[in-house]
Each structure stands twice: as structure tokens, then as C-alpha cells.
Amino acid sequence: MAIKITDIVRYPVKGMSGEHLNDVALTAGLGLPDDRRFALSHGSTAFDIKAPQWMPKANFLMLAKNEKLAQLQTRFDSDSGHLTIERGGKQVVAGKITEPMGRTIVAQFFAGFLGDQARGAPKLIEAPGHMFSDVREKCVSIINIASIKDLERVARSELDPLRFRGNVMIEGAQPWQEFDWVGQEIEISGVRLKVLSKIRRCPATSVNPSTAERDINVPQTLQRGFGHVHMGIYAEVLNDGRISVGDGLQL
């Protein structure tokens, strides 16, 4: 069975909801455009926007600790720089987060929304060219739907693929086949990617993206059923090109 892309998702603000794309232009050495471009840091986090360095995710608001974030739906307009945040279908705040005032407005909302969960007043931050990824490399994450289905068998429950916050969802591969690609190159519509590593999963995946509740201990279930805590792979983009939903993946 042919392997193909079924969904493409970007996450403009680290820890917040994703946005589905029909197609996307990829650039060598970078992740998806605007993916993890912004982050909500704790007030105590010392991040230098003029000389940005990778920092562990514990320095930022995240689902692993702040599951309440899953109650919010975000939309980012790349052209205007505006971020809109809704809760239960109603807009609760909006701002042009490419400008200081807009970032302040949005950060103030999160200060009130999270209360004591934030260590100090949250800051919405951006640094040109920086990606607030969970790993040091700027890469694309790929999730095999068949592996999720196999995990559902062990969990005895349906699992929304969005729990795993992947950029590219694929179908047609065998369960866990993607792990065999580590260290190899794959190709999608002329774009070559080198698979760097498996993705180690943290408690953020235990949060149901629809209910904002911790309903299934995903890392524990992975360990119990398969002897590891991985789901998905990270891949580095090797050349420029465009990929679309429906494109095939070749090994």
C-alpha cells in the first residue's frame, strides 16, 4: 500500500492549538513556516531575543504542565501578524503579535487565564529565525497513523492524532515502520528529508485536545504495550520544495 500524507499541521505558538494546511513550502534546514515561531515563557525564564538559544520546554507554558491551554483555539495570520484566541467558539483576545503591544495584550490574557499555573507573568516571545522546538534541530515531525491505531489497541480507546502535535500525518505504512527510517532519507514530492530520531513522548500527550483533560497516560501505555515511549519521528529538510496533502512518501 502506498504511503501518503493525510494532514499537514503547523503550531505557530508553542503549546497552543494547531492549524491545518493543504500544502506548504519547505526550506532546507528549517521546519514548517511559522511553526513554533512564538512561545509563552514563564516570567522567570531568561530568554535573550537578540541572541536566542535553544531552551528546554520546561521554560515555557506547555500542555505537559498546563493542560488548561487545550481549552483554547488559536488562529495566526502570517500576512497580518494577528493572533486570534477563542474559547468555546467565542473570541477572548486578539492582537498583532509581531508587535510589542500585541504580544503584551495576549500575554496579559494568559496571565489571567492561567493564574498561579504560570511562574510569574507570562511573556509572549519571538526571535527572528528561531524555532521553539522541543529539540535543538529545526525539523519536521512525522506521525504514522497506523502506529496510533496500534496504540489505540493497547489503550482500548480512540486517540486523536493531534495529541502528538505532529506536522505531517501519514497513512499506508505499517505500524512502527517509521522507526526503521531513522538515519535514512525519505522523499515527498521531490523534497528529501533525513530522518533524525524517534520522538520521545512526555505527559503532554496525556491531555485530550478536545476536552483539555488528562484521560489516558500515553507514555505509560506506550511503555506497557511496546517497551518504549516513542511516537513519530523528527526529520530534517534537505532541499527546498512544496508538499501537499495527498502526496506520496517514498523511501
Side-chain angles (χ1 to χ4, degrees):
M1 184 176 177
I3 304 172
K4 66 178 183 179
I5 297 177
T6 59
D7 200 5
I8 301 172
V9 188
R10 70 172 185 178
Y11 295 85
V13 182
K14 183 179 181 70
M16 301 305 298
S17 64
E19 300 175 350
H20 298 270
L21 308 172
N22 289 321
D23 58 86
V24 66
L26 297 180
T27 301
L30 301 179
L32 265 63
D34 294 327
D35 188 49
R36 277 81 172 184
R37 175 176 170 180
F38 304 90
L40 285 155
S41 70
H42 293 287
S44 58
T45 298
F47 181 82
D48 187 348
I49 61 173
K50 295 182 179 179
Q53 299 291 326
W54 179 85
M55 300 180 74
K57 58 187 174 184
N59 291 282
F60 308 99
L61 299 179
M62 57 179 178
L63 288 172
K65 297 289 186 182
N66 314 110
E67 65 271 20
K68 194 177 178 181
L69 294 174
Q71 296 178 10
L72 306 174
Q73 298 79 46
T74 58
R75 295 194 313 276
F76 176 67
D77 186 301
S78 299
D79 294 329
S80 67
H82 275 89
L83 178 74
T84 302
I85 302 178
E86 297 180 348
R87 184 182 187 187
K90 296 182 179 180
Q91 180 176 313
V92 291
V93 69
K96 188 173 184 178
I97 59 174
T98 51
E99 296 182 352
M101 180 57 72
R103 289 194 292 271
T104 298
I105 290 170
V106 172
Q108 288 176 342
F109 163 77
F110 279 100
F113 179 68
L114 291 173
D116 294 339
Q117 286 190 23
R119 301 198 306 265
K123 295 174 288 186
L124 183 60
I125 56 177
E126 173 195 17
H130 188 73
M131 181 180 182
F132 293 97
S133 175
D134 285 352
V135 292
R136 294 179 183 274
E137 298 84 3
K138 296 177 181 178
C139 51
V140 173
S141 56
I142 301 173
I143 305 296
N144 180 3
I145 298 299
S147 298
I148 294 180
K149 294 296 183 184
D150 202 27
L151 178 59
E152 288 179 338
R153 175 181 59 81
V154 175
R156 297 182 180 180
S157 179
E158 291 187 7
L159 296 170
D160 188 334
L162 293 179
R163 282 181 186 257
F164 301 97
R165 306 181 65 77
N167 297 131
V168 176
M169 312 293 180
I170 59 170
E171 287 187 347
Q174 294 298 311
W176 315 108
Q177 182 183 352
E178 67 275 22
F179 291 174
D180 296 335
W181 306 340
V182 174
Q184 301 181 21
E185 289 187 14
I186 58 177
E187 184 175 318
I188 303 171
S189 192
V191 179
R192 292 180 297 111
L193 304 98
K194 182 175 182 180
V195 180
L196 302 177
S197 64
K198 305 172 188 177
I199 303 177
R200 183 180 180 86
R201 291 304 172 177
C202 72
T205 54
S206 298
V207 179
N208 187 318
S210 299
T211 65
E213 297 178 353
R214 296 181 188 274
D215 55 1
I216 297 173
N217 189 325
V218 168
Q220 186 181 82
T221 305
L222 281 165
Q223 184 65 54
R224 184 181 76 247
F226 307 100
H228 63 73
V229 291
H230 300 98
M231 177 65 75
I233 51 177
Y234 285 123
E236 177 189 5
V237 179
L238 298 180
N239 65 285
D240 298 357
R242 181 174 289 275
I243 63 173
S244 305
V245 172
D247 283 349
L249 183 153
Q250 290 80 38
L251 306 178

